[in-house]
Amino acid sequence: MITFRLFRAALSTRRVLSTNNVSRCFHKSITTLIDTSVTIGDVTVSNPPMGTNPNLIPTLPSRLEHFHTLPSTLPPCHISHLRWMLQKDFVLHQDFLLLGTPRLASERRHLLLLYAALLHREVEYVALSRDTSEADLKQRKEVSNGGSTVYVHQAPVRAAIHGRLLILDGLEKAERNVLPTLSNLLENRELPLDDGTMLVSPDVYDRHKMGIAVHPDFRVAAIGSLSEGESASLDPPLRSRFQARLVSSVDEGDVLVAASAGSQGILDMSTLKEMVKSTGDIGGVSIQSIQNAIRYIEMFQPSISPPAALNAHGMGINGGMITPQDVKSPLKLDGLNDTTTNPNFVATNTTNTVRDLIIAGFRSGNRAVACVGPKGSYKSAIASETAKAMGLKMELFSLHPDMTARDLLMVRGTDKESGDTSWRETPLTRAARRGTLVVLDGIDKIRTDTLTSLALVLEQGWVILPDGTRFYTHDDFRCIAIAHPPEKRSWITPEVRSIFHWIQVDPLPREELRDILMKLYPSLDEIILDKLLNLQKELDRVSVDSAAEKEALQLTMRKLKHICRRVERSPNELGRIIHNTLLTSFLPEWDQGIIAKCLSKCGIDVPDEGNDEISFDYGMVNELVKSCKRAASNPLLVPNPRFEENPGQARSELDILEAHRVGEKALLITGYQGVGKNKIVDHLLFKLNCEREYIQLHRDSTIQSLMMTPSVENGRIVYHDSPLVRAAKYGRILVLDEADKAPVEVVALLKGLIEDGQLSLPDGRVLCHDHSSDPDIISIHPDFRIWTLTNPAGFPFHGNDLAREMADVFSCHQVPPMDMESHRRVLKSYGPKVEVHLIEKIVETWEELRNAHKKGIISYPFSLREAVAVVKHLNAFPNDGIKEAVENVVSFDRLDTSLAKRLDTIFSSHGIRLLDSNTIERRPGRDHGTLSTPKTRASDPKHGKVDPDNTPHVGGNTWAGGTGGSDTAGLGGRGGPYRLDAGHPVHQISDEMKAQVSKEAQERARKMAQDALQKKLDDLKMGKLDWSRYTNLREQVDEQISQLKSYLRDLQKRSEERVWLKNHTSGEIDENKIVDLLSGEKDVFKRRGMPSDANNDSLQTQPIVIRLVVDISASMYRFNGYDQRLERLLEATLMMMETLKDDKRFQLYIIGHNGSSAKIPLVNPTTNMDENTQLQVLECMVANTQYTYAGDNTIDAISLVVDEAATGDLVIIISDANLKRYEITVNDLSPLQSQKVHAHLIFIGSLGDEASELAKKIPNERAQVCFHSADLPLIIKQIVTNAYRLVLRDIVTRSPGNPLIKEHHRPPPPRIHNQSPSVDRPRVFGLWWNDCGGTN
């Protein structure tokens, strides 16, 4: 049988290839006749154009090279699509568009290229993306011939001139108003070009003989994606110029026919049917993918099951991938090189299985395999070992978010001699041409439209470069893509899913992990290793509030290596090294608690941070310095700072030196501002005699500036080595200062350099460990190190969370605030003339400021830097006094009245008065009473007489406000209608005496309480409010309100922070496009703009729901006199209402619970939060505590609020439950562990240690005890700020038209209704305890 290619070469031979024997094919035929006529179905075209350039003509897939196999391989609908394209192309001469679901994008692309191959059509191809510009669609400027501007035709222009088929792939991906550039070319076959010429239609050219004629055979074929239930959102003028056809999913029977045709007969028909049914047909099944999956199974049976094969090819029902656990028996792979020369890699069963799965994916016909797994799961190492096993050279290509589709294939530069612009291949293009293996590290970081632009290369093996070059990939070319699993918004779109073969790489099992670490670190104590692995297991069990926090608490493979490398030499420092590795000091308090519990459970000593007086042996530092000292070739690069030796910073130096000695390539040194990070680093480099290269990072730092500095010299682009490149070449230590201020992706690019020893530079050179004579290879010096300095993430610091992205790549070190003795030494060195007692006063004050910051009382971390400034001032101007010197560092906070009062309280306690008057102090608690025995029986409930002198009354039944008596309103007694606090010590009767009250008397008392509550509520409706009550309470939480507002405002600023918007015609020059600027391009500028202008995903589009569940039970009123728990609860509630009242980012619900009801609505998002309403809410809470019947509904309240909450809501429950009395256990509190919400339970008050013991048993710090009621507002503030930080991290922009994102529906605000059958509760009204004889 003559193949299609041979037939094209032998057109003089008469052949007829018919498909009439296939009844499913509409009883039509595909026939290629003599001469050049082509017939598909009932459409015949005589003399279709035949291309002459084989590089421009797609090749037929191998399974279709025999023309007679077309009818049996293609389903009838595909033949119908081919007929329609032939009709539009050569009969009607119309531009056409193939539409369908994103999952079938590869199918449409395959059909279009198949059509071009069958018709021998030359093709021009443009993969559209958000970065596509006018220059990509018309002409690009180049510099040639010594500085002259040359205009180079781009694909649409070339296609128009030469009569080719122009494929526009992904119409929906281009930014709006870009494609209208081609509107006139589509409509009238006219297009003005930038060089002054003009494309004109053939008719116009024939009449005027002017312009450049558009070839009559020029046609535009576009590909677009639609989701189910969605119509095309193309611009009407563009849409109207295309004829469209929907390429829908193929009928199951036709899929089965095509699948069986592609099978080698190894699988029986029942297995094929089961596979087709198991594809999870959401948007259609690609024939190519199902045939690839069948070939995969046939090659590797019985090791691979059909469901696993479908998962590997992106067709699983639940979107799963193939895993090592899916391999039933070892894969049979011949010809592998099993030797490894990497001493840092230890092969295990799992790593070998993953490697074999990658190779099996390649051998079954896939060019690209994606390995998806969490950090530290050995993905990079396995990729490197796979390349060695296959005998292929590996090239690393680290990806970052700023990359465009063009950057993946080529980068622009200039010739070093002539200055002419040129194009340089990227590692991906080099690998495709040379037949090597490329590792795309971080495909999850780039936009999906950028990633899908590689479809032609990875699916079809056809490379079309930006400079117009075309070639088919080398037969040996392979690609391994590495990525992290999707979080909230999946980057694995249906179209991306069809490009790769998918393998899920999970963390290694404990046994294999232990084996690896023992072989890598043979001197490591096995007992210590077991403790470390036990800790990893305990931390892995933790299910906290977001994937981000899980990462912070996980011990990945890289983190374990960092720890073992250190502990092998310093086994007694295990706890401290873990503490540093997890950056525990800068985690939220509850996360610190989780780590402390896990350490204790695993028998690891928790490092003591509370030792103020550190004794330190400086000999250890000097010994390490001697062992690591270098000989500097350029003394000018060795820093020489002023430094006062002190034990606190010496401990940090020792920690850094120990990591440096064991060979850590990169250090992450984190600490608050002013703790001496730079001083410590420079002092160490001075001692070590190390040359330093320094880079100060900031908001505008870019990946380009980190690697190279371009400049224009004599019309040529000259790239100067950055400090990074110089440090790598000459073995210096690179200090990256304030790395948290740069965009995270800038520093994250160093991961490939640190971990894999490769980094591609913009000028085409590569940093790597190879010692090659190739001028494009820069060998990395073995002494090269990176020391990175950062501040902690989060308020009040403005930096980015670098640790979240990169902590496991670095050896992490914390520089804590100075201990008092070290602080004292340093201050004395800066203030030799300052009196000792003043220095002591400053040291003690700063220590209290540090503790206040740690507790959250103040937000700014006063540091050594401010203390040194005060001492310097006093040393130079002693007569100014300490108050004036201190004023220089606290003036920032002067206009914040509440914060100024708080600072004044701290400074005044050490004799430094900042304000003229004292801050308002809280009232103290009252004395406790004794056990009381009532003098009368309880039988006649009543309010009682009011004593005008407010004399204490104990044990009687006459006076209102008495304690330990019977029948009257009071506290501690029995039979009274409700509680009434007159401000006296409470004398309590026993439960046995309470039980003596008859049921009839209890019912009368209950009825009186209900009537009294209703009367008070009615009174409040009349507006009897007291403004002084509100302001008095408000003053107690002014500072917390101010801090919480500041924190939330800071987070809002981060989410609204402007970003660089690129491809503009004005603004600042984009250094990534300096060559384009040199050649005269227009869109080479960037400008700052709002994230929404850049389609940024960091904007919050849905409000965050906070559900505050407050305890308004009887015990809150009863025990308020002991510890002011009710007062603190009111303060915390007021703090939440006042902070969030005008903040559209939040929706606040406040729900009460007590013995009468588990749900008493108090506030919902529609409540007007003015001061009057806030006071009414507080009074309602007090009234409920006073008049409700004894009992507890904490458990029911938790279950109700968690059930009603939407995913991602923050739920805070406050309770003072008597746990033992109400038999509350850990199992009762299981709803707190729901992954749906961020839930926290706060016990306020406790009888003995029962609440503390219960809270310890609840995992993940979801419950805590507020021992001091004054801390309640602080605790709630910390919970809210941390939860908001996590929610912002997870936020994605939700677009109604985006099929990949489900709309987030929240339940409407609850309707306020009667919660108790006997009390009709209004929404917000209540009673203040002053009205009942209490004290304020």
Side-chain angles (χ1 to χ4, degrees), residues 464-492:
I464 299 179
L465 300 178
D467 66 349
T469 304
R470 327 284 183 86
F471 66 90
Y472 282 95
T473 60
H474 192 285
D475 289 342
D476 293 334
F477 165 65
R478 296 294 182 266
C479 170
I480 298 177
I482 294 175
H484 294 152
E487 291 182 5
K488 297 294 181 180
R489 177 177 180 176
S490 179
W491 55 268
I492 307 178

Side-chain angles (χ1 to χ4, degrees), residues 703-944:
I703 291 169
Q704 176 94 4
S705 64
L706 190 63
M707 296 188 292
M708 305 293 295
T709 305
S711 63
V712 180
E713 299 177 9
N714 299 322
R716 293 177 296 142
I717 302 294
V718 178
Y719 289 96
H720 302 280
D721 289 345
S722 70
L724 165 64
V725 177
R726 294 197 300 268
K729 286 171 65 175
Y730 302 116
R732 297 167 182 161
I733 291 183
L734 174 69
V735 176
L736 295 177
D737 197 6
E738 296 197 281
D740 56 305
K741 302 302 186 290
V744 173
E745 62 269 13
V746 173
V747 186
L749 189 71
L750 297 177
K751 182 259 180 184
L753 181 61
I754 297 169
E755 284 289 309
D756 306 304
Q758 284 194 33
L759 183 65
S760 297
L761 302 178
D763 63 352
R765 294 181 297 167
V766 178
L767 278 173
C768 65
H769 287 294
D770 292 344
H771 296 280
S772 170
S773 58
D774 188 336
D776 289 334
I777 298 295
I778 303 176
S779 296
I780 299 175
H781 195 284
D783 291 337
F784 169 58
R785 299 291 185 271
I786 299 175
W787 290 5
T788 304
L789 310 182
T790 71
N791 295 125
F795 186 77
F797 297 96
H798 293 181
N800 299 306
D801 195 351
L802 177 65
R804 176 178 179 253
E805 182 73 23
M806 293 282 287
D808 64 335
V809 175
F810 292 97
S811 172
C812 297
H813 305 267
Q814 301 173 109
V815 179
M818 274 194 175
D819 62 281
M820 294 180 69
E821 175 58 30
S822 300
H823 202 167
R824 197 176 289 117
R825 286 194 190 186
V826 173
L827 294 186
K828 286 179 179 179
S829 70
Y830 281 98
K833 300 178 183 179
V834 180
E835 297 179 15
V836 174
H837 78 276
L838 289 179
I839 287 182
E840 193 64 30
K841 184 178 291 189
I842 294 171
V843 169
E844 292 175 353
T845 303
W846 254 248
E847 181 67 11
E848 187 171 345
L849 288 170
R850 182 178 71 84
N851 289 329
H853 171 262
K854 187 175 181 180
K855 294 177 181 178
I857 297 173
I858 60 175
S859 58
Y860 182 78
F862 285 87
S863 67
L864 175 66
R865 184 177 295 156
E866 288 87 1
V868 167
V870 172
V871 169
K872 282 183 175 179
H873 186 103
L874 289 173
N875 193 64
F877 301 96
N879 295 330
D880 285 354
I882 191 170
K883 179 179 179 181
E884 184 169 338
V886 167
E887 188 66 34
N888 296 327
V889 298
V890 299
S891 292
F892 300 95
D893 308 311
R894 274 297 194 178
L895 296 182
D896 189 332
T897 305
S898 59
L899 178 55
K901 289 180 179 179
R902 191 63 56 90
L903 291 175
D904 180 69
T905 300
I906 295 173
F907 279 90
S908 295
S909 65
H910 299 281
I912 307 172
R913 180 62 58 81
L914 300 181
L915 302 177
D916 295 332
S917 59
N918 291 328
T919 56
I920 300 174
E921 296 185 2
R922 300 183 183 274
R923 53 189 172 279
R926 71 189 74 176
D927 295 333
H928 292 185
T930 60
L931 189 65
S932 172
T933 302
K935 302 171 184 177
T936 62
R937 295 184 60 186
S939 59
D940 184 21
K942 55 184 178 293
H943 179 76

Side-chain angles (χ1 to χ4, degrees), residues 406 1063 1069-1078 1083-1084:
R406 189 180 81 182
N1063 299 329
I1069 296 174
D1070 185 350
E1071 67 270 26
N1072 291 319
K1073 291 197 168 188
I1074 194 167
V1075 179
D1076 302 74
L1077 172 68
L1078 187 66
D1083 55 346
V1084 296

Side-chain angles (χ1 to χ4, degrees), residues 372 443-444 446 448 451 483-486 489-493 496 502:
V372 181
I443 59 171
D444 55 312
I446 61 177
T448 54
L451 182 57
H484 294 152
R489 177 177 180 176
S490 179
W491 55 268
I492 307 178
T493 64
V496 171
W502 297 92

Side-chain angles (χ1 to χ4, degrees), residues 1023-1057:
K1024 296 180 180 178
L1025 306 175
D1026 188 349
W1027 176 251
S1028 65
R1029 305 168 194 160
Y1030 176 83
T1031 55
N1032 184 42
L1033 193 65
R1034 168 68 187 268
E1035 287 176 358
Q1036 306 304 321
V1037 286
D1038 263 346
E1039 173 63 19
Q1040 305 307 324
I1041 292 172
S1042 175
Q1043 284 190 27
L1044 186 52
K1045 282 186 174 181
S1046 297
Y1047 189 96
L1048 298 178
R1049 187 165 52 246
D1050 176 74
L1051 290 177
Q1052 179 68 8
K1053 287 180 180 179
R1054 291 169 185 261
S1055 67
E1056 294 177 349
E1057 190 173 76

